[in-house]
Amino acid sequence: MRGIVFYQTEELRGRHVRIFDTTLRDGEQTAGVSLSLEQKLLIAAQLDKLGVDIIEAGFPIASAGEKEAVSEIVRLGLNLQVCGLSRVIQADIDACLDCGVGMVHTFVSTSDVQRIHTIGKSREEVVELAVDAVEYIKDHGATCMFSSMDATRTDMDYLTTIHQAVEQAGCDVINVPDTVGVMVPSAMHRLIKEIRETVAVPLDVHCHNDYGLAVANSTAAVEAGASQVQVTINGLGERAGNASLAETVMILHTIYGAQTNIHTEYLLETSRMVEQYAGVRVSRLMPIVGENAFAHESGIHTHGVLKCTDTFEPGVMTPEMVGHKRRIVLGKHAGKHAVQQAIESVGFAVSDDQLAEVLSRIKELGDKGKPVTDADLYAITESIIGVVARKEQFIDLKEVSVMTGNLITPTAAVKACVGGAVKVVANTGVGPVDAALGAVQNLLGEGTMVRLHDFKLEAISGGSDALAEVTIAVEDETGKIVNARAAREDIVMASVEALVNAINRLIMVRGTNKRNR
Ligand code: KIV
Ligand code: ZN
């Protein structure tokens, strides 16, 4: 970092932290999320590529499907260690062992509130069950992690008693769950420090995000001596989720200077995969992996970033480190440097006066609450510099027809002139828009890597004849993203036109950039 003062603790510099990912267990407990076997296998393989040390592959006793998934994940023979979850019940542990996992994570409620109202056992009975479970796991040759569920609302003397008992029984790791996410970082630091003074086994933490502090509590626990953290991709998990893997790891690496085995360049790719399979949209504001994590709009910021990226970014963390891209976004806060760069990137050269006019039109659009798409920038610039003749469009749309209803699979047919040749393509989808968009993508033929990156639909006025405005972003294989918009009373037509506009723009920008090289 050039000339940046950075006030951070040096305590963790060089320390190694193990990453335990529970996306496939606590993450799948996110309300409304259910992953297929195939998706679980693909996620497990991706977590292995990412460099996760251990995954909690599931809770085998929960269902036959869950047991099959854990067994199949074990069968993949990945480098990471596969762990199964069990209560302190022999049948649960047997279900894990049947799957062939190398590690069993056994848990029991230790707080009075959970112990009394959920399992109805005395404190002594709970200790006995925990010790028996640990001994049983160890007797069967597996690594054992014990969790005192709701540890952060458990009486400290009792927590010490049960932790020392399971340590004595041979447990390899003790996990301290902040089950309902009530800790703050200073309290977490104190608690972990105190637990460290009572047991010698490695400590792990599992923090929930009820107050948005899961990541901060996890890193505070590491500061206090925990050597392993439980995380999930995109922070999935019960209620408000668990600590996000990407945030926890990037804080550990770039702020504390600690080490993990994570290959951070795969963070975005992993986040997108889990977003798609889980169906839980990642907020554009989400740190590290959100759409806006490295996007700049304001004139002051973009001017600074165009000169030196450290001015308005952390400096120690770059988009490249996490597989992301820096974006300069045009809107009402845009400055002339950003607009000039955007204009040049689509192959135009403008005078100072023309630049000022483009800027003022962009601000007008921004003031009306409209995002400025690449197609808008192109059209505005073209009209100002007086280029009248439109370039030939790569896709020239001729006809669109859709069929939908409760008795047929939604189907769309699209006819267009593509690169000079007339093509007709039909496609099915979950609805008419999905079918039509798929048909347009199929027009490009096999091997053309243009993927739909974003789709936004807005009704501009009320009523069933409302004008539908669709904004679509497409991405090519190099990660170049181009967006375009179309408004129509017919949602299918608005969607198809927006997609065709975006693809045409992407192809034009690629051509322009190649010519300029
Ligand atoms: O939140 C929790 O306490 C858990 C346990 C099973 C560790 O998920
Ligand atoms: Zn949990």
Side-chain angles (χ1 to χ4, degrees):
M1 269 196 301
R2 292 144 286 188
I4 301 176
V5 179
F6 200 51
Y7 299 101
Q8 294 301 339
T9 168
E10 284 293 306
E11 234 171 279
L12 294 191
R13 190 154 294 282
R15 243 196 39 212
H16 191 85
V17 181
R18 283 162 66 83
I19 301 299
F20 180 109
D21 182 281
T22 180
T23 304
L24 295 177
R25 200 279 297 169
D26 214 320
E28 211 204 4
Q29 288 174 219
T30 310
V33 170
S34 175
L35 300 164
S36 68
L37 172 62
E38 196 194 353
Q39 289 171 335
K40 287 184 184 184
L41 294 176
L42 290 168
I43 291 174
Q46 179 70 22
L47 293 172
D48 197 42
K49 175 179 169 189
L50 185 62
V52 162
D53 297 290
I54 310 166
I55 57 169
E56 190 159 54
F59 189 15
I61 197 75
S63 72
E66 187 82 354
K67 194 168 174 185
E68 187 195 355
V70 177
S71 306
E72 290 292 324
I73 290 170
V74 170
R75 260 193 285 265
L76 288 176
L78 302 171
N79 289 318
L80 50 72
Q81 184 164 33
V82 182
C83 170
L85 182 70
S86 79
R87 291 166 295 182
V88 284
I89 295 174
Q90 203 172 311
D92 285 32
I93 300 168
D94 286 338
C96 291
L97 297 171
D98 288 349
C99 298
V101 296
M103 180 180 200
V104 179
H105 172 196
T106 189
F107 72 97
V108 66
S109 294
T110 51
S111 67
D112 287 344
V113 62
Q114 286 197 359
R115 188 178 51 75
I116 293 164
H117 297 290
T118 64
I119 49 176
K121 304 265 184 221
S122 70
R123 286 186 173 187
E124 293 70 27
E125 283 171 321
V126 166
V127 173
E128 212 176 300
L129 284 168
V131 166
D132 287 350
V134 171
E135 282 175 350
Y136 189 74
I137 293 165
K138 292 308 295 176
D139 284 350
H140 287 79
T143 303
C144 174
M145 175 160 69
F146 172 77
S147 276
S148 37
M149 185 150 85
D150 209 10
T152 55
R153 295 192 300 172
T154 300
D155 165 70
M156 191 61 200
D157 288 342
Y158 179 57
L159 199 58
T160 303
T161 303
I162 194 162
H163 283 168
Q164 289 178 339
V166 293
E167 179 177 48
Q168 190 101 51
C171 159
D172 301 287
V173 183
I174 289 179
N175 173 42
V176 181
D178 184 21
T179 302
V180 290
V182 288
M183 292 303 262
V184 293
S186 54
M188 194 61 162
H189 193 282
R190 255 196 332 271
L191 177 68
I192 296 297
K193 212 160 159 254
E194 243 179 285
I195 296 176
R196 272 238 311 177
E197 281 157 16
T198 61
V199 286
V201 289
L203 296 183
D204 174 62
V205 281
H206 173 103
C207 298
H208 275 277
N209 206 28
D210 298 66
Y211 286 91
L213 289 171
V215 171
N217 287 334
S218 303
T219 53
V222 173
E223 258 194 60
S227 52
Q228 183 170 297
V229 282
Q230 298 203 0
V231 288
T232 58
I233 301 301
N234 299 338
L236 291 179
E238 283 277 359
R239 304 180 309 283
N242 291 81
S244 135
L245 181 149
E247 291 165 43
T248 308
V249 165
M250 290 315 289
I251 292 170
L252 290 174
H253 284 202
T254 64
I255 296 186
Y256 286 109
Q259 291 164 0
T260 72
N261 288 327
I262 298 297
H263 305 296
T264 62
E265 66 275 22
Y266 301 127
L267 285 173
L268 182 68
E269 156 182 317
T270 311
S271 161
R272 295 254 165 99
M273 176 197 248
V274 171
E275 176 182 32
Q276 192 193 338
Y277 293 170
V280 178
R281 198 105 170 94
V282 168
S283 156
R284 66 170 64 194
L285 298 179
M286 191 165 198
I288 322 287
V289 294
E291 184 83 23
N292 285 10
F294 300 93
H296 306 269
E297 181 183 312
S298 117
I300 297 167
H301 286 220
T302 51
H303 183 207
V305 164
L306 288 172
K307 282 200 151 167
C308 166
T309 53
D310 292 356
T311 52
F312 289 97
E313 284 178 8
V316 284
M317 176 170 69
T318 64
E320 294 76 23
M321 284 163 89
V322 301
H324 216 323
K325 285 216 157 53
R326 181 174 298 108
R327 280 191 311 129
I328 304 292
V329 178
L330 301 180
K332 68 176 169 190
H333 303 109
K336 69 173 192 285
H337 295 93
V339 173
Q340 179 155 29
Q341 200 204 40
I343 290 173
E344 283 168 6
S345 79
V346 295
F348 287 126
V350 287
S351 67
D352 285 353
D353 288 349
Q354 287 168 334
L355 177 61
E357 182 59 25
V358 176
L359 187 59
S360 116
R361 298 253 200 115
I362 285 172
K363 285 177 185 280
E364 259 171 48
L365 269 179
D367 280 337
K368 285 185 193 144
K370 304 262 178 239
V372 180
T373 67
D374 302 84
D376 294 330
L377 174 70
Y378 191 86
I380 291 170
T381 313
E382 204 182 43
S383 73
I384 288 171
I385 65 176
V387 180
V388 187
R390 276 222 152 245
K391 315 265 174 322
E392 210 167 90
Q393 304 286 297
F394 184 71
I395 300 179
D396 183 10
L397 194 61
K398 302 287 183 203
E399 285 170 26
V400 178
S401 61
V402 287
M403 275 190 308
T404 190
N406 61 343
L407 297 178
I408 54 165
T409 307
T411 307
V414 174
K415 181 177 176 187
C417 186
V418 184
V422 175
K423 281 193 179 180
V424 181
V425 173
N427 185 57
T428 57
V430 294
V433 171
D434 185 45
L437 294 183
V440 172
Q441 280 171 288
N442 291 346
L443 283 172
L444 297 173
E446 295 267 314
T448 316
M449 296 288 293
V450 175
R451 98 179 168 91
L452 192 62
H453 178 76
D454 204 9
F455 175 91
K456 214 174 302 140
L457 169 68
E458 256 178 280
I460 293 177
S461 48
S464 58
D465 59 349
L467 200 60
E469 186 175 90
V470 174
T471 310
I472 279 184
V474 292
E475 183 178 12
D476 71 4
E477 71 281 5
T478 68
K480 170 91 191 146
I481 296 173
V482 163
N483 48 41
R485 185 174 43 218
R488 289 278 209 131
E489 275 144 5
D490 181 321
I491 291 178
V492 175
M493 284 312 298
S495 307
V496 167
E497 278 182 15
L499 180 56
V500 168
N501 289 345
I503 293 174
N504 281 336
R505 285 282 318 116
L506 183 62
I507 287 168
M508 195 151 44
V509 169
R510 283 161 61 111
T512 312
N513 288 347
K514 269 193 207 128
R515 276 197 304 281
N516 288 351
R517 250 178 248 144

